[in-house]
Amino acid sequence: MQPLCSANCLSMVLLIVCVTLALNVYNMRHANKSMAEQYTSSNSEYVDAKTTLTKCEHDLKSQETVLGEVKVAVDAAKKTNSDLQKNLDTCQSELEKSKAEKEKAEQEKAEKDKADKLEKEKAQAEDKKDEKAEDEKEEKAGDKKGEKAEDKQDEKADEKKEEKAEDKKEEKAENKKEEKAEDKKEESVTKAA
């Protein structure tokens, strides 16, 4: 009887096992090489990512500091703007008040001028009436007092001229006083503004 495993069979089995082992070793080395390449590439990518991360963090910190400075500047600008707006509002209210006061003063001046004109016209009308009455009296007494009446008329005419000149001087003085008062008011308004 022959043995179950002959030498040829055993050598064939060993050959197959050796070939499979060699194939496995080759495959493992090939896989190990590709894994090593992937590891080195991923490692380099990791280093690059880390450097970019540090740069980004540094940029972020600098941008945060700049943003804080900008916020402080914006807050200060808002505060100054609010102060300027308050000053502008107060100036506008004062300007409106001064305009109203000026208009009121102008109206009062116009009313005063009208009243003065009416009084002057009444005085002139009364003077004319007095002159006519005196003329009539003088005509009646003209024969008796011919020369005296002419002298009196001349004196009265001179007196009236002098009165009119004095009235004009007083009016000019009053007008100048009113203009000075208005100029002072306008200067005070412009100074306050």
Side-chain angles (χ1 to χ4, degrees):
M1 213 170 121
Q2 282 188 342
L4 211 80
C5 288
S6 65
N8 287 336
C9 246
L10 188 61
S11 62
M12 284 298 289
V13 170
L14 289 172
L15 182 66
I16 291 170
V17 169
C18 286
V19 169
T20 55
L21 285 174
L23 285 173
N24 282 336
V25 168
Y26 175 77
N27 286 333
M28 286 179 69
R29 283 193 174 185
H30 185 68
N32 190 15
K33 186 179 180 183
S34 64
M35 291 280 283
E37 289 175 355
Q38 287 179 358
Y39 174 75
T40 54
S41 65
S42 63
N43 198 9
S44 63
E45 288 176 359
Y46 171 74
V47 170
D48 293 338
K50 200 169 185 180
T51 54
T52 54
L53 179 65
T54 55
K55 284 181 182 178
C56 290
E57 286 176 350
H58 183 265
D59 292 340
L60 180 64
K61 287 179 182 177
S62 63
Q63 287 177 357
E64 283 176 352
T65 55
V66 170
L67 182 64
E69 292 174 358
V70 169
K71 282 182 179 179
V72 169
V74 166
D75 292 337
K78 282 182 181 178
K79 192 174 182 181
T80 54
N81 283 341
S82 64
D83 293 338
L84 290 173
Q85 187 65 37
K86 287 178 184 177
N87 291 337
L88 180 64
D89 293 337
T90 54
C91 288
Q92 283 180 347
S93 63
E94 289 176 0
L95 182 64
E96 288 174 359
K97 286 179 183 177
S98 63
K99 281 182 181 178
E101 289 175 359
K102 187 178 178 182
E103 289 176 358
K104 207 174 192 181
E106 287 177 356
Q107 287 177 354
E108 289 176 357
K109 185 182 175 184
E111 290 174 359
K112 215 176 200 183
D113 291 340
K114 285 180 184 179
D116 290 341
K117 285 180 183 178
L118 289 173
E119 287 177 3
K120 287 177 186 177
E121 289 174 359
K122 286 179 182 179
Q124 287 176 356
E126 289 177 0
D127 289 341
K128 287 180 181 178
K129 287 179 183 178
D130 292 339
E131 286 177 5
K132 286 180 183 179
E134 288 175 3
D135 289 339
E136 288 174 1
K137 288 178 184 179
E138 287 175 2
E139 285 176 5
K140 289 179 183 176
D143 295 336
K144 296 178 183 177
K145 301 177 182 177
E147 293 180 1
K148 291 181 181 178
E150 289 177 2
D151 292 337
K152 286 182 180 179
Q153 286 178 356
D154 292 337
E155 289 175 1
K156 288 180 181 177
D158 292 337
E159 288 176 359
K160 287 179 183 177
K161 286 180 182 177
E162 290 175 359
E163 287 177 0
K164 287 180 181 178
E166 289 176 359
D167 290 338
K168 287 181 181 178
K169 286 180 182 177
E170 289 176 358
E171 287 178 12
K172 287 181 181 178
E174 288 178 0
N175 289 336
K176 285 182 182 178
K177 286 180 183 177
E178 290 176 356
E179 288 176 357
K180 286 181 181 178
E182 288 180 1
D183 289 340
K184 286 180 181 177
K185 284 182 182 177
E186 290 177 358
E187 287 176 359
S188 64
V189 168
T190 53
K191 286 179 181 177

